Amino acid sequence: MILAEGTKVELKFTGDRGVVTDLLEHDMVMVLLDDGDEIPVATGDLIRPDESLQMGPRVKAKLLTLPPKPSPYPTGGLPEADSQYTILRSRGIQLAFLPHGLPDGTTPYFEIFLLNDTPYSALFTFQLSSKQQSQRQINGKLDSVSAFPLGQMPFGMLNDLPEARVEIWQITTQGTGKALRRTLKIRAKQFFSKVITAPILNKAVHHYVLFDSFDSQGPSEAHEDLKAYTRRHAPPLPQDGATASSRSRDLYEYASFDSEIDLHIEELTDKDIRRLHNAEILRIQLRAFDAYLDRALSVGVDRVFVIHGLGKGKLRNEIATRLLKHPEVKTFKNDYHPNYGYGATEVIFQRR
């Protein structure tokens, strides 16, 4: 069956109907069901709605009474990789969260995997933490084209703003390469929007690319934190007429300045965000944005990243309006970024 975005389909074993919204890898598609849920489905499990009429009520009733499929990871183990699976295009070092679904439809936890679809092996450390709990640090070796199980993340941990910290070293003939570090802030809305068929696992997972290569000087900045990226692109600080103490202070402020700001409301206030009106949330976000922009200009950085998320675009549009009117903003862009997708705007200042 040939599928395209917008194709009306029916799930073969449940009778649920929906519309194809996205074509995924490895014969998987995203389907928006009539009840509002959007799920990844194998194309082999789909039929056209008119085909179910030809099956007849007796056959369809039999399909609906099939026992639920058991979880693919009943004991948390990792199945052997399909020997026919081939990496066509390397994504690099990735973090994957495989949902552990129960027959009643609930997902108590996610299996976590570190994926490496490059031809190089690496050493790594991994730690998952949140405001409420911190899991133990895991150290290990990540072989080429392999998946390393890292344990589980309870479903409820998504409410506690979890962070994953990863440090990785490529193994070379001379030893280990330069350490690559990444702190990944996991937010529920972005988490559930990043579903692909993962390399090696060959299953639909919630997915993040941590480092797209081991080349820290390459064209992509996925492996480089934004502070280092900004330092590398920034002009030298002015020296004329500055005293030794003021230069020292400026250098300290410059080096310690965080060149990204996350404007998600849960990052900006300790208030119960469920009690805040949309207008008040927007005021808090824009006040934080204005203050951050002023400090960035006073420190003298070359560019910053403003993380605003996708949503309905109200915050992004308000930020764009301010940037258009700002005399010290050279340009800004909302192009795709390997860390944030389209949920962040890069702001580049005029050189002074």
Side-chain angles (χ1 to χ4, degrees):
M1 179 172 60
I2 299 176
L3 297 173
E5 292 182 16
T7 302
K8 294 182 179 180
V9 293
E10 179 174 323
L11 273 65
K12 186 186 299 183
F13 298 111
T14 66
D16 292 320
R17 294 189 176 189
V19 176
V20 174
T21 59
D22 196 11
L23 305 180
L24 307 176
E25 298 178 326
H26 311 296
D27 295 322
M28 299 285 290
V29 295
M30 288 297 292
V31 177
L32 179 62
L33 299 177
D34 291 344
D35 62 7
D37 288 337
E38 191 172 25
I39 60 173
V41 184
T43 55
D45 293 336
L46 295 173
I47 58 175
R48 295 191 184 278
D50 54 353
E51 292 179 26
S52 64
L53 298 177
Q54 302 172 12
M55 294 170 66
R58 181 183 62 82
V59 177
K60 187 171 183 181
K62 182 179 180 181
L63 289 175
L64 289 171
T65 57
L66 287 175
K69 295 181 179 179
S71 167
Y73 298 103
T75 60
L78 177 64
E80 293 184 5
D82 185 350
S83 60
Q84 300 300 315
Y85 189 83
T86 302
I87 303 296
L88 298 178
R89 182 177 63 85
S90 172
R91 293 176 179 268
I93 307 301
Q94 308 143 67
L95 196 61
F97 296 82
L98 178 70
H100 184 97
L102 297 180
D104 62 2
T106 61
T107 303
Y109 61 87
F110 301 90
E111 296 278 355
I112 311 173
F113 295 94
L114 195 61
L115 308 180
N116 176 13
D117 64 2
T118 76
Y120 308 103
S121 299
L123 302 178
F124 74 89
T125 65
F126 171 85
Q127 186 174 34
L128 182 68
S129 62
S130 71
K131 292 183 176 181
Q132 303 297 327
Q133 56 182 309
S134 178
Q135 297 185 359
R136 65 183 178 86
Q137 179 173 294
I138 298 174
N139 306 307
K141 179 186 176 185
L142 184 61
D143 292 325
S144 62
V145 193
S146 69
F148 194 104
L150 298 171
Q152 302 171 359
M153 180 179 76
F155 186 93
M157 195 174 186
L158 285 170
N159 297 321
D160 299 331
L161 308 179
E163 291 186 354
R165 297 181 179 86
V166 181
E167 190 167 8
I168 195 159
W169 301 263
Q170 179 187 358
I171 299 175
T172 70
T173 54
Q174 286 77 37
T176 56
K178 180 181 179 182
L180 304 179
R181 298 178 179 87
R182 175 85 185 274
T183 297
L184 179 69
K185 297 180 179 180
I186 302 172
R187 301 297 176 260
K189 187 172 182 179
Q190 297 171 336
F191 179 85
F192 288 110
S193 70
K194 299 177 180 178
V195 179
I196 72 163
T197 302
I200 304 167
L201 293 179
N202 203 21
K203 293 186 178 295
V205 299
H206 305 282
H207 179 267
Y208 297 88
V209 175
L210 299 175
F211 314 102
D212 62 3
S213 75
F214 289 105
D215 180 11
S216 60
Q217 299 301 321
S220 172
E221 310 302 335
H223 51 270
E224 180 179 30
D225 64 41
L226 292 176
K227 185 182 295 183
Y229 176 84
T230 302
R231 281 189 198 143
R232 190 158 59 83
H233 288 78
L237 289 172
Q239 300 292 331
D240 295 342
T243 64
S245 60
S246 66
R247 285 199 303 269
S248 176
R249 182 179 65 253
D250 290 343
L251 287 170
Y252 174 78
E253 292 179 355
Y254 181 81
S256 62
F257 181 76
D258 192 347
S259 52
E260 65 170 292
I261 181 173
D262 191 341
L263 293 180
H264 286 90
I265 188 61
E266 61 268 19
E267 299 288 341
L268 304 176
T269 180
D270 294 329
K271 296 180 180 179
D272 186 352
I273 60 177
R274 295 171 297 181
R275 298 180 179 273
L276 298 178
H277 297 294
N278 289 339
E280 185 177 358
I281 290 175
L282 185 61
R283 281 196 299 272
I284 294 172
Q285 291 171 319
L286 291 176
R287 188 162 59 242
F289 167 74
D290 290 337
Y292 177 78
L293 207 64
D294 288 343
R295 182 159 183 265
L297 288 166
S298 68
V299 169
V301 296
D302 190 38
R303 67 190 69 201
V304 294
F305 284 82
V306 180
I307 304 168
H308 44 65
L310 295 175
K312 297 181 179 179
K314 178 68 173 176
L315 177 60
R316 181 191 62 203
N317 293 340
E318 289 288 343
I319 288 172
T321 299
R322 280 168 156 75
L323 293 175
L324 283 169
K325 298 178 181 179
H326 203 293
E328 296 193 65
V329 172
K330 179 180 181 181
T331 186
F332 62 92
K333 52 187 177 180
N334 187 223
D335 294 338
Y336 179 83
H337 188 280
N339 290 354
Y340 307 111
Y342 291 97
T345 293
E346 181 181 14
V347 183
I348 301 173
F349 299 114
Q350 300 280 3
R351 290 185 178 272
R352 292 175 291 172

